[in-house]
Amino acid sequence: MRVGVLGARGKVGAEVCRAVEAAEDLELVAQVDTGDDSDDLGALTERGVQAVVDFTHPDVVMDNLRHCVEHGIHAVVGTTGFDDARLDTLRGWLDASPATGVLVAPNFSVGAILMMRFAAEAAPYFESVEVVELHHPDKADAPSGTATRTARLIAAARAEAGSGPVPDATSTSLDGARGADVDGIRVHGLRVRGLVAHQEVILGGPGETLTIRHDSLDRVSFTPGVLLGLRQVAAHPGLTVGLESYLGLS
Ligand SMILES: NC(=O)C1=CN([C@@H]2O[C@H](COP(=O)(O)OP(=O)(O)OC[C@H]3O[C@@H](n4cnc5c(N)ncnc54)[C@H](OP(=O)(O)O)[C@@H]3O)[C@@H](O)[C@H]2O)C=CC1
Ligand SMILES: O=C(O)C1=N[C@H](C(=O)O)C[C@H](O)C1
């Protein structure tokens, strides 16, 4: 498969380029970044790219994807910032290009995917649950895509189980002190130099807490999932959200 990487000089994109170059069944034929002469999506079709990997920025990813879908190029997307409206827009573009596959995954690390799954599984058994995400301070978005997805999965699992709202008697607080409310679940974001990507889900009931923690200590944690995405995306036309189904987890 002929692969193009968008955001090729970025922190994750550079790691993805190394992984694709090392894979015998994949050929890296285009590297696109704002810092390069080749900052041009036209390079993708000129070089016969069959699938792109996008690790760019939430502000530009939709334009990239519109171009790819219009040209029948499959896409494996790590860039964050996808809400329901964006996903609906993507589905609309894909309806007009039914053979094209797009995978949007808030996190490509296997450990993070399992952390989200375990958190959702545990959530109905506890009164309280809150999400704390911790990242490097150069990150563009907050809360992280992973934290938002985790909170949504937790909220859905609790709704299905008939759990009530999480308890919180706070009546006075400074703005932000209780984090962001994602579907009724509080999400807190820390930005600290030295960190890469980390998350804790803290669950609590009478007399006990359970903490589920995942740490990406190096950005190589994302590349096996990205390679899996590249190898499977053509066999999954339309939009897939989350790497879980490619891993046989859903
Ligand atoms: N799903 C997952 O598993 C993961 C997702 N992410 C997400 O991936 C995204 C990128 O993260 P990260 O690598 O840390 O960020 P970086 O800022 O290090 O890299 C992004 C790169 O994309 C470039 N870029 C910006 N606009 C364009 C464009 N239109 N075309 C091509 N390249 C462009 C940037 O250039 P310039 O700096 O000049 O703007 C930069 O080199 C974020 O949304 C992050 O949250 C990160 C880790 C894992
Ligand atoms: O920007 C990052 O670094 C990361 N972004 C993704 C997110 O927002 O969840 C994945 C991981 O947390 C690293």
Side-chain angles (χ1 to χ4, degrees):
M1 171 179 267
R2 294 168 69 79
V3 175
V5 175
L6 307 180
R9 286 155 66 109
K11 290 184 283 300
V12 183
E15 206 61 68
V16 169
C17 288
R18 278 190 281 278
V20 171
E21 277 177 323
E24 286 185 1
D25 57 332
L26 304 171
E27 194 185 351
L28 183 62
V29 296
Q31 301 182 48
V32 179
D33 200 286
T34 47
D36 291 341
D37 291 343
S38 63
D39 173 19
D40 177 9
L41 294 176
L44 302 178
T45 36
E46 279 161 26
R47 295 179 195 174
V49 167
Q50 295 165 291
V52 299
V53 177
D54 188 305
F55 280 89
T56 56
H57 191 284
D59 291 348
V60 303
V61 64
M62 290 302 279
D63 285 345
N64 290 346
L65 290 179
R66 184 172 48 203
H67 177 93
C68 290
V69 173
E70 278 173 6
H71 290 83
I73 299 171
H74 307 293
V76 172
V77 185
T79 306
T80 46
F82 284 87
D83 55 14
D84 288 341
R86 282 186 169 205
L87 294 174
D88 283 346
T89 301
L90 248 178
R91 283 189 193 95
W93 296 339
L94 284 161
D95 284 347
S97 182
T100 308
V102 174
L103 167 66
V104 175
N107 203 308
F108 279 94
S109 103
V110 171
I113 292 164
L114 290 172
M115 173 263 297
M116 289 188 259
R117 190 180 181 86
F118 297 155
E121 202 172 320
Y125 296 95
F126 292 86
E127 247 183 283
S128 295
V129 54
E130 304 215 359
V131 178
V132 184
E133 54 98 334
L134 310 90
H135 283 83
H136 59 92
D138 303 317
K139 183 166 175 53
D141 55 328
S144 70
T146 307
T148 303
R149 176 138 171 103
T150 307
R152 289 199 172 132
L153 292 172
I154 287 169
R158 288 175 69 93
E160 197 182 323
S163 315
V166 293
D168 180 1
T170 309
S171 58
T172 353
S173 66
L174 288 178
D175 273 358
R178 292 289 295 117
D181 180 334
V182 179
D183 292 356
I185 303 299
R186 291 284 163 180
V187 178
H188 311 267
L190 279 64
R191 297 292 175 265
V192 179
R193 184 68 69 202
L195 294 180
V196 178
H198 318 259
Q199 182 167 299
E200 287 190 2
V201 180
I202 303 168
L203 305 111
E208 63 173 337
T209 63
L210 169 66
T211 301
I212 302 172
R213 180 173 173 116
H214 176 260
D215 297 275
S216 270
L217 305 169
D218 188 299
R219 291 179 178 86
V220 294
S221 60
F222 305 119
T223 55
V226 172
L227 297 189
L228 175 69
L230 281 169
R231 290 177 178 129
Q232 293 210 9
V233 66
H236 292 81
L239 177 64
T240 303
V241 179
L243 193 64
E244 294 88 322
S245 58
Y246 287 21
L247 287 166
L249 286 171
S250 62

